[in-house]
Amino acid sequence: MTRLLHALRRRLVVIAGLLTLAYLVLPNAVVMVFSFNRPNGRFNYTWQRFSLDAWKDPCGVADLCGSLSLSLRIAALATLGATVLGTMIAFALVRYRFRARGAVNSLIFLPMAMPEVVMAASLLTLFLNMGAELGFRTVLIAHIMFCLSFVVTAVKARVMSMDPRLEEAARDLYAGPAQTFLRVTLPIAAPGIAAGALLAFVLSFDDFIITNFNAGSTVTFPMFVWGSAQRGTPVQINVIGTAMFAVAVAVVVVGQLVADRRKSRAEK
């Protein structure tokens, strides 16, 4: 008994980590299991029998794949816009001194701290006062605005940790400003930029509250899921969710393998 307690005490952190991971993965496991269900009624909430029908025809529900495609396009464009603007803002805040720099630093965190419903209502008021037609463009602008803060935070942390002597060495070797940025600065900042871009993509694709306020007649995938939950959740939603979870896990695993390989090469 004493040995068992001693072993548990030594592995307490590992056990707690595994339990936390299991708790986080449990909803995804439920979604995955019910993607193979064949419910009797409209609601896919109780297990009936195993079936591959939904996997064979994931677009069998009207407008499902259309809303998914729309969400992917908005997320990709919002990620591109937020990443470009956020990277420039992060470099400006770290590398330059200007008036109201402190105020800008504080305002960057405002969308992250503000409740989404407040930001959604504010953006809706802004668009209505401007006479803008609610739809794809207003959703895209809104997504870029709230994703921008997360990109700035991720890139800024990476830029602050950069060693300025590397850029000085490049200039000493007669590299121009463009060469220094492309061959030294950008590769070093790339992990922070990639992290900010991935975070922006996930946040944009998953957003419901801000999108619902400013979408007009546009229906994204989260809005489609919300509407379907009131009428009857089709199994194809579980299929799409399972496929997206598998892709996300694959991206993380590939990224970790590439990082480990680079680290092993650097050690050699």
Side-chain angles (χ1 to χ4, degrees), residues 83-205:
T83 302
V84 173
L85 294 175
T87 300
M88 292 190 293
I89 293 173
F91 272 95
L93 290 175
V94 174
R95 297 293 180 84
Y96 300 96
R97 299 292 182 269
F98 52 88
R99 286 186 178 181
R101 179 172 173 267
V104 173
N105 262 318
S106 301
L107 290 174
I108 286 297
F109 291 97
L110 193 59
M112 301 171 63
M114 183 184 299
E116 276 196 65
V117 66
V118 176
M119 188 173 181
S122 301
L123 286 170
L124 176 60
T125 304
L126 174 65
F127 291 138
L128 292 178
N129 287 331
M130 292 175 59
E133 183 180 354
L134 298 181
F136 181 89
R137 293 181 180 179
T138 55
V139 172
L140 179 59
I141 294 171
H143 282 207
I144 292 175
M145 290 182 68
F146 81 80
C147 289
L148 191 62
S149 299
F150 296 91
V151 176
V152 172
T153 303
V155 178
K156 184 181 172 185
R158 181 64 178 178
V159 174
M160 291 178 66
S161 65
M162 291 172 56
D163 190 350
R165 292 176 295 181
L166 297 175
E167 294 171 297
E168 293 175 2
R171 288 191 291 268
D172 290 341
L173 295 172
Y174 304 104
Q179 286 180 310
T180 302
F181 179 78
L182 293 175
R183 297 189 178 184
V184 178
T185 307
L186 189 59
I188 297 175
I193 297 174
L198 289 174
L199 185 59
F201 184 88
V202 172
L203 290 170
S204 175
F205 182 86

Side-chain angles (χ1 to χ4, degrees), residues 28-46:
N28 297 290
V30 173
V31 170
M32 187 181 303
V33 169
F34 276 83
S35 68
F36 298 99
N37 186 28
R38 187 173 183 179
N40 292 327
R42 295 180 301 169
F43 296 96
N44 186 27
Y45 297 151
T46 57

Side-chain angles (χ1 to χ4, degrees), residues 207-222:
D207 182 77
F208 172 76
I209 299 176
I210 294 177
T211 305
N212 190 42
F213 271 72
N214 300 280
S217 60
T218 302
V219 179
T220 61
F221 184 69

